[in-house]
Amino acid sequence: MICRKGSGVRLGAQPGTDGSVTVGDVRPRKERVRKPMAQHGIRARHKRKYIATTDSNHDLPVAANLLERNFSPTAPNQVWTSDITYVATAEGWLYLAVIIDLFSR
């Protein structure tokens, strides 16, 4: 099919308003999509279920809030903070920890 510029004809798969893909006015069925995906080794990525990892309903002792949101110390070596994160690499997980003095921030 030959299309001229400005003819208003759209070819190929077009995204729908809900994010689904349609070809023309027809939405492809799951089996029609599943088979070519399996042949090419393509797998769908599922959204993970949210899992809460913090349990605040306990009677265990809680450390005192010594900082009391004072994030602007007046001299060095008064307030230190830290954080840890995980970075996925080709060799596995890399753990990155950072410790900083809030005065130099």
Side-chain angles (χ1 to χ4, degrees):
M1 176 179 195
I2 299 173
C3 294
R4 297 198 173 133
K5 188 175 181 180
S7 66
V9 176
R10 297 183 342 176
L11 298 176
Q14 303 296 324
T17 56
D18 61 350
S20 62
V21 175
T22 59
V23 178
D25 293 331
V26 180
R27 185 173 177 179
R29 295 191 176 137
K30 287 181 184 177
E31 282 301 305
R32 187 163 177 100
V33 174
R34 187 191 65 78
K35 288 177 183 178
M37 285 178 66
Q39 289 172 349
H40 294 285
I42 302 170
R43 294 181 6 191
R45 295 181 66 187
H46 297 282
K47 186 175 181 181
R48 290 185 176 191
K49 180 183 174 184
Y50 173 76
I51 299 174
T53 58
T54 303
D55 178 19
S56 298
N57 290 331
H58 57 75
D59 294 325
L60 300 172
V62 178
N65 184 359
L66 301 176
L67 191 56
E68 301 206 3
R69 302 196 62 81
N70 179 14
F71 300 121
S72 302
T74 57
N77 294 325
Q78 289 180 338
V79 180
W80 292 78
T81 188
S82 64
D83 195 14
I84 186 169
T85 189
Y86 312 96
V87 181
T89 66
E91 297 177 5
W93 287 99
L94 176 72
Y95 303 95
L96 175 64
V98 177
I99 303 171
I100 61 170
D101 183 1
L102 285 182
F103 181 76
S104 62
R105 187 85 174 124

